[in-house]
Amino acid sequence: MMLFTSDNWAGVHPKIMDAMIAANIGPVPAYGADELTQSVINQFTEMFGKKVDVAFVATGSAANSIALAAMLPPFGAVFCHEHAHIQIDECGAPEFFTGGAKVLPLAGEGGKLTPAILEEGMRIYTPAMAHRVLPKAVSLTQGTEAGTVYTNVEIRALTAKARELGLYVHMDGARFANAAAHLGASPKEIVTDTGVDILTLGGTKNGCMVAEAIIVLNEALSEHLVWRQKRAGQGFSKNRFLAAQWNAYFEDDLWLKLGAHANAMATRLGEGISAAGFELVNETQINEVFPILPDAVVERLKEKGAAFYDWVQPGDPYDGKLRRLVTSYQTSEQEVGAFLSALKELS
């Protein structure tokens, strides 16, 4: 197989599956009152270097939307990159859970926002007036939908600008493990020390079954977290099975090892595609590769068994020729090698 569709296609890592099976023995208190859940929350506190409030949820859409609901009034708004998941791929969930707040997309190179972009986006809403929504947050994706990673310096500059503009900072960490592995930095350094208010931390794309967590670092945003979680239908009676995944995920830095492997396979894939004479749109920093491939080449690759997606985004400057290839913790060197051999025959 040459499967590069999505890291969501990968199965559950055996250590994580074993942890869920082990958690199935005997009755324990429900709704997160069990010892395992409390232990994992303590692990989060250690990882981020401060007391955090945590809500375990099943999907990234729920995590992002509940987090934004804690930040935004119904007449509010959140800035994000124009290709961000909350803008393109949440089916209006952020607007629904916030009671009508707007998502305001901003253009930025390589999937990133900058302080200057954020300031310009805020200009039309300054001073505040009742005829327009009231921006209250900015959402950053780490790593981005373009396969790039914000450096800690870049995040710190954005949070500083956000504070100046009166905005909270949300970080969508669906591929946070891949970003952390690329940076070689700790969660505390990437999130706490840079001033992020809420992180939505994803494990599902990196070896878990259903493991997403809302990590609230700004105590002022925690007051109604459990009510928002319950109202969203995300209050799990058997929370131990979510906690078991996180417990195994963090043990012996499994999360970083899985993310690093996926990154390494993407790097090899990207280097091979480039060597075959095809352009990469962005530097490969996490587990996503974005080459420009002619339709005829794509058709032949798929005939040979390769699977990946076309990647058409708003304002597409690539005439529909941009493709996305995603690796996972299960991607093998043989799989990458087979794809590159097939591509070389066509170049």
Side-chain angles (χ1 to χ4, degrees):
M1 291 184 67
M2 295 180 283
L3 183 63
F4 302 105
T5 47
S6 171
D7 36 12
N8 281 323
W9 286 37
V12 179
H13 190 276
K15 290 185 178 180
I16 294 171
M17 186 67 80
D18 288 346
M20 294 177 69
I21 293 171
N24 196 40
I25 299 173
V28 301
Y31 294 105
D34 59 285
E35 290 184 6
L36 185 55
T37 295
Q38 296 308 307
S39 174
V40 171
I41 291 174
N42 290 337
Q43 289 183 59
F44 280 128
T45 293
E46 292 176 11
M47 289 177 65
F48 292 98
K50 64 176 294 184
K51 181 185 179 301
V52 295
D53 288 293
V54 182
F56 297 92
V57 299
T59 71
S61 294
N64 286 335
S65 301
I66 295 169
L68 292 175
M71 295 176 158
L72 306 177
F75 47 85
V78 55
F79 292 109
C80 68
H81 192 275
E82 63 181 344
H83 297 164
H85 217 78
I86 63 169
Q87 163 67 4
I88 301 293
D89 293 303
E90 305 287 27
C91 194
E95 292 89 340
F96 177 80
F97 280 93
T98 59
K102 287 180 67 68
V103 177
L104 300 174
L106 301 172
E109 187 175 348
K112 294 182 180 181
L113 301 180
T114 66
I117 291 171
L118 184 58
E119 185 168 40
E120 177 61 22
M122 190 68 175
R123 187 168 62 87
I124 192 174
Y125 301 99
T126 307
M129 58 187 299
H131 292 276
R132 296 173 183 166
V133 289
L134 183 66
K136 293 298 292 183
V138 57
S139 180
L140 315 176
T141 309
Q142 181 72 321
T144 75
E145 284 80 3
T148 57
V149 175
Y150 285 98
T151 67
N152 294 347
V153 171
E154 289 174 324
I155 300 170
R156 197 173 292 112
L158 274 163
T159 57
K161 177 56 68 174
R163 295 288 179 270
E164 179 186 319
L165 297 173
L167 306 175
Y168 293 118
V169 179
H170 164 251
M171 179 178 283
D172 179 349
R175 293 189 173 94
F176 186 81
N178 305 95
H182 173 77
L183 291 172
S186 69
K188 179 179 181 296
E189 292 169 326
I190 301 170
V191 179
T192 313
D193 294 348
T194 59
V196 172
D197 293 296
I198 298 182
L199 167 71
T200 49
L201 178 61
T204 307
K205 295 181 186 294
N206 194 40
C208 294
M209 181 181 288
V210 281
E212 310 291 322
I214 304 168
I215 313 294
V216 183
L217 297 99
N218 184 337
E219 189 176 351
L221 300 174
S222 295
E223 183 180 1
H224 299 126
L225 182 63
V226 294
W227 284 273
R228 296 186 190 281
Q229 178 189 19
K230 179 64 175 177
R231 186 171 182 266
Q234 294 290 316
F236 290 90
S237 58
K238 297 184 179 180
N239 201 81
R240 56 174 153 163
F241 295 106
L242 277 69
Q245 294 176 71
W246 289 111
N247 194 50
Y249 191 60
F250 294 137
E251 188 173 2
D252 296 326
D253 284 335
L254 178 64
W255 69 292
L256 286 174
K257 294 172 184 175
L258 300 182
H261 174 81
N263 289 359
M265 293 300 97
T267 297
R268 182 180 175 190
L269 186 64
E271 289 174 348
I273 292 171
S274 185
F278 298 98
E279 180 185 354
L280 298 183
V281 169
N282 298 309
E283 178 186 354
T284 303
Q285 296 184 324
I286 54 172
N287 62 323
E288 297 179 291
V289 185
F290 292 90
I292 297 175
L293 299 175
D295 291 340
V297 170
V298 170
E299 184 177 345
R300 291 292 305 279
L301 285 170
K302 291 186 175 181
E303 288 174 356
K304 291 175 178 289
F308 53 90
Y309 290 133
D310 297 336
W311 203 247
V312 180
Q313 296 290 332
D316 175 31
Y318 306 106
D319 193 28
K321 303 298 188 291
L322 181 62
R323 325 295 175 172
R324 188 191 76 162
L325 288 80
V326 183
T327 55
S328 76
Y329 83 91
Q330 289 185 323
T331 303
S332 67
E333 292 183 1
Q334 291 77 13
E335 199 170 3
V336 172
F339 180 90
L340 295 178
S341 295
L343 184 63
K344 188 174 181 181
E345 293 175 7
L346 301 174
S347 61

